[in-house]
Amino acid sequence: MKKKLIAALCTLAVSVGLLSGCSQGAESDAGRETSAQEETAGGAAEENTQKEEVVVTMPATSEPESGFDPAFGWGAGEHVHEPLIQSTLTVTTQDLQMDKDLATDYSVSEDGMTWTVTIRDDVKFTDGEPLTARDAAFTYNNCKEKSSVNDFTMLEEAVAVDDTTVEFHMTRPYSIWPYTMAIVGIVPEHAYDENYGQNPIGSGRYIMKQWDKGQQVIFEENPDYYGEEPKIKKLTVLFMEEDAALAAAMAGEVDVAHTAASYSDQSVEGYELFSVQTVDNRGFNLPCSTPQEKDGVTYGNEFTSDVNVRRAINIGIDRQEMIDNVLNGYGTAAYSVCDKMPWYNPESEVEYDPEEAKKILEDAGWKKGTDGIRKKDGVRAEFTLMFSNGDSVRQALAEDTANQLRELGIEVTTEGAGWDVAYDRAESEPLMWGWGAHTPMELYNIYHTLGDFRDPGPFSGCSGRYEPGETDR
């Protein structure tokens, strides 16, 4: 049997300072990593149907700090499709079509303001209590009130009409509501409290049997699961840093190991490299407003607020060089947060042209000084590029970005930062992000300027994330 060595690159793609690939440490949605475990571990199970217990490693940042609660990151984020412990009303298929799970039927009113969902009547939670429409309504109303990871502003209220019918009354027509139903795990109203995330009860494929925080979580098959019996009966997830994951693989202690892209050229006996295409991306934001203070947070950046600077950086980054040197060739260039999706616009693609980038800066008045760094009206062409602590891929991308931009006369200082401070700082300083989802809401959530919801980070208004192809008009 060949075990899997997943070098945490899984086909990374590069966009403006940007890379995409398999998730490696989520900034706001720790649950998304572990939900991917079944897919990757499932690949191993398909090769070896006799192996019913699988051990995988995931980055330490994958462990959900708030526990396994859909309201706070597990089973209610754009990246999570099957939260393992809970069930969802709908699911997405491998070809990105919608299918039903708990739901047996759903429809929407002509004005788009009411979605009616009929659910199964044969599902029980793992404590033996039946799952009803009241649990579905409770879950969504709770997420609307408390969710820290997803936008529920389109939902006015969820109402249980009877035991098997739930209505979703919307604040505005929302055509992709079935997708939202595919990412929200249903929790039991009777067993939900502030400690639910630590001892979750659900109706999904797996039961969380043991959670040793900072070390591992163990999932076992739910014997009363209503759907297809899972091939993997026991799934153990070890939370490890990259080096430790590689060491565990070399010792033959795990079946699937997520490790750094820089290790993808290593050969580990008994393992094979597993590379998959994903929509996950890596990239940095470029604040596009001039600096201003609000509530103790600085918004905007004097240098990157110049549209010519952002346009120059866009064409002055050699994405292929990053793929070759940082990711050992495992990647494709990306130009937005939704490459290869049906709603992707190929007009966002640009050619690498460092000479034109320099000309744009020159024509805009950014002149080189004696030290090789440009200046304009007393403003120095420089910024700090942050990356999440402990993420070697993002660190390497930040360092590569600094080297490339130096050739354009821009000085970049790289700095590791924790997410406790990075979100606020990213309103005025570029930060290497990781993102990607199979929904147009990804594009909307990052760029929209309407509504009260704003995910932490520079994703709203003029300080929004700059992607290649953005016109800045």
Side-chain angles (χ1 to χ4, degrees):
M1 151 203 173
K2 282 284 188 180
K3 299 180 180 180
K4 302 291 185 183
L5 179 63
I6 300 181
L9 43 83
C10 300
T11 312
L12 287 170
V14 191
S15 64
V16 126
L18 299 127
L19 294 186
S20 79
C22 80
S23 305
Q24 192 219 358
E27 45 268 15
S28 63
D29 189 357
R32 72 178 180 181
E33 295 278 353
T34 313
S35 70
Q37 299 154 9
E38 186 171 356
E39 178 182 347
T40 54
E46 288 176 2
E47 290 183 359
N48 304 276
T49 54
Q50 78 280 4
K51 189 170 182 58
E52 296 186 345
E53 296 186 10
V54 174
V55 180
V56 307
T57 73
M58 298 296 289
T61 50
S62 300
E63 186 173 23
E65 294 183 9
S66 301
F68 301 87
D69 185 340
F72 303 108
W74 178 270
E78 299 293 355
H79 307 273
V80 179
H81 288 259
E82 184 183 350
L84 301 185
I85 299 168
Q86 295 95 5
S87 302
T88 54
L89 296 177
T90 61
V91 293
T92 52
T93 63
Q94 288 187 349
D95 58 356
L96 302 184
Q97 300 299 306
M98 299 307 306
D99 202 355
K100 295 179 282 291
D101 187 1
L102 288 175
T104 60
D105 191 23
Y106 61 86
S107 61
V108 62
S109 60
E110 286 191 12
D111 63 2
M113 296 297 286
T114 302
W115 286 84
T116 302
V117 181
T118 304
I119 69 171
R120 303 172 62 121
D121 60 4
D122 60 345
V123 178
K124 291 184 178 182
F125 289 107
T126 52
D127 63 357
E129 292 295 317
L131 185 154
T132 72
R134 286 184 291 276
D135 297 298
F138 170 79
T139 297
Y140 280 82
N141 290 329
N142 185 61
C143 283
K144 175 178 174 59
E145 177 185 353
K146 299 178 180 178
S147 180
S148 60
V149 298
N150 207 18
D151 179 11
F152 286 92
T153 58
M154 79 297 286
L155 177 65
E156 179 67 36
E157 182 184 19
V159 178
V161 177
D162 54 40
D163 283 352
T164 58
T165 309
V166 58
E167 288 184 348
F168 297 101
H169 301 284
M170 316 303 286
T171 60
R172 61 183 185 274
Y174 193 70
S175 63
I176 61 170
W177 181 248
Y179 183 89
T180 298
M181 294 193 295
I183 61 174
V184 178
I186 304 302
V187 303
E189 181 178 14
H190 68 274
Y192 186 88
D193 57 24
E194 65 276 7
N195 298 314
Y196 173 82
Q198 312 305 310
N199 297 286
I201 293 173
S203 59
R205 298 175 190 268
Y206 293 93
I207 299 170
M208 190 193 79
K209 297 296 292 186
Q210 182 177 331
W211 182 17
D212 302 313
K213 293 183 181 180
Q215 300 178 45
Q216 67 176 3
V217 61
I218 300 174
F219 300 98
E220 291 186 0
E221 176 191 12
N222 176 3
D224 299 319
Y225 180 59
Y226 55 89
E228 181 181 353
E229 182 179 347
K231 296 182 177 69
I232 300 172
K233 308 304 181 184
K234 181 179 180 180
L235 175 64
T236 301
V237 182
L238 306 178
F239 300 112
M240 291 182 167
E241 299 297 340
E242 298 160 346
D243 291 344
L246 180 62
M250 296 178 72
E253 298 172 346
V254 298
D255 300 292
V256 180
H258 285 239
T259 186
S262 57
Y263 296 142
S264 62
D265 58 351
Q266 293 200 24
S267 177
V268 180
E269 185 178 357
Y271 288 78
E272 63 181 3
L273 188 66
F274 184 58
S275 177
V276 297
Q277 291 188 349
T278 80
V279 296
D280 194 20
N281 63 70
R282 296 291 177 267
F284 54 90
N285 63 299
L286 294 174
C288 55
S289 64
T290 54
Q292 54 185 307
E293 295 283 337
K294 183 179 180 181
D295 299 327
V297 177
T298 300
Y299 294 80
N301 182 290
E302 197 70 51
F303 173 54
T304 63
S305 62
D306 185 339
V307 63
N308 295 294
V309 167
R310 301 194 298 277
R311 288 171 175 162
I313 290 176
N314 188 29
I315 65 173
I317 291 288
D318 188 344
R319 295 161 172 79
Q320 190 58 48
E321 186 275 339
M322 287 185 169
I323 293 170
D324 294 340
N325 294 320
V326 177
L327 305 176
N328 287 332
Y330 287 92
T332 56
Y335 302 91
S336 77
V337 298
C338 57
D339 290 62
K340 302 176 184 176
M341 294 293 98
W343 42 90
Y344 172 63
N345 185 354
E347 294 293 324
S348 64
E349 297 178 18
V350 298
E351 293 289 336
Y352 170 55
D353 192 341
E355 294 308 312
E356 179 62 21
K358 294 174 184 177
K359 183 177 184 302
I360 290 174
L361 292 170
E362 284 287 335
D363 292 348
W366 293 95
K367 306 297 183 181
K368 278 191 176 182
T370 56
D371 60 354
I373 303 303
R374 299 179 185 275
K375 286 185 179 180
K376 178 182 178 181
D377 298 331
V379 176
R380 186 174 165 84
E382 62 182 358
F383 59 80
T384 296
L385 177 56
M386 297 178 288
F387 58 86
S388 54
N389 286 325
D391 190 322
S392 65
V393 172
R394 297 190 203 192
Q395 180 177 1
L397 293 174
E399 298 291 350
D400 195 299
T401 298
N403 291 336
Q404 291 199 38
L405 294 186
R406 178 79 189 197
E407 297 299 313
L408 301 183
I410 300 172
E411 184 169 52
V412 176
T413 301
T414 61
E415 178 185 341
W419 293 111
D420 55 334
V421 298
Y423 286 112
D424 282 347
R425 286 184 58 188
E427 297 290 358
S428 60
E429 301 173 80
L431 169 66
M432 190 66 72
W433 296 90
W435 219 262
H438 298 101
T439 168
M441 279 307 296
E442 181 79 338
L443 194 67
Y444 177 80
N445 284 338
I446 289 179
Y447 291 113
H448 81 93
T449 58
L450 303 176
D452 296 328
F453 175 83
R454 178 176 69 85
D455 194 275
F459 295 133
S460 65
C462 284
S463 59
R465 172 173 173 162
Y466 178 77
E467 295 287 349
E470 185 181 34
T471 62
D472 289 289
R473 288 196 292 265

